[in-house]
Amino acid sequence: MSVQTVRFRTSPEQVPVATERINALFDAVHAAAPRDMRYIALRETGEPVFTLILELPDGTENPLPSIPAAVAFRRWLSGRTEDDPAPCSCTVVCRYSA
């Protein structure tokens, strides 16, 4: 399983816009319906900190670059965060699912 995260902090004033942009991104992902992909967006409660987590089976190409709304989101995100929102590859150490 390949896992990538994007974590970013924005200003409190940007939270509604960031949330709106993330919702538009996920609407486009739902419309494209990439197979075998798990994608989740989180916001830390009470904080302007967002985390996006993408899971793909090993060897599967990331479908996000082929979704125009995902490309637009990455462009929009540039310069609107207080940190580096670059994707980070992660290693799954443990997992439980029922």
Side-chain angles (χ1 to χ4, degrees):
M1 180 71 57
S2 167
V3 178
Q4 289 187 1
T5 63
V6 172
R7 184 174 188 273
F8 64 93
R9 174 182 293 276
T10 190
S11 67
E13 297 79 25
Q14 287 288 325
V15 167
V17 176
T19 301
E20 180 180 305
R21 294 288 185 141
I22 291 169
N23 285 329
L25 164 63
F26 274 73
D27 287 345
V29 169
H30 280 284
R35 295 181 46 83
D36 300 323
M37 178 178 130
R38 292 180 56 185
Y39 200 31
I40 186 170
L42 308 168
R43 179 173 158 235
E44 291 183 21
T45 303
E47 295 293 328
V49 177
F50 294 85
T51 303
L52 284 76
I53 303 169
L54 172 66
E55 292 184 21
L56 297 167
D58 287 333
T60 302
E61 189 172 327
N62 182 347
L64 293 178
S66 68
I67 300 173
V71 174
F73 177 76
R74 292 289 302 156
R75 250 186 276 131
W76 173 83
L77 192 57
S78 178
R80 288 186 173 81
T81 66
E82 297 179 7
D83 45 15
D84 180 12
C88 174
S89 293
C90 299
T91 300
V92 176
V93 176
C94 295
R95 169 179 279 137
Y96 169 84
S97 61

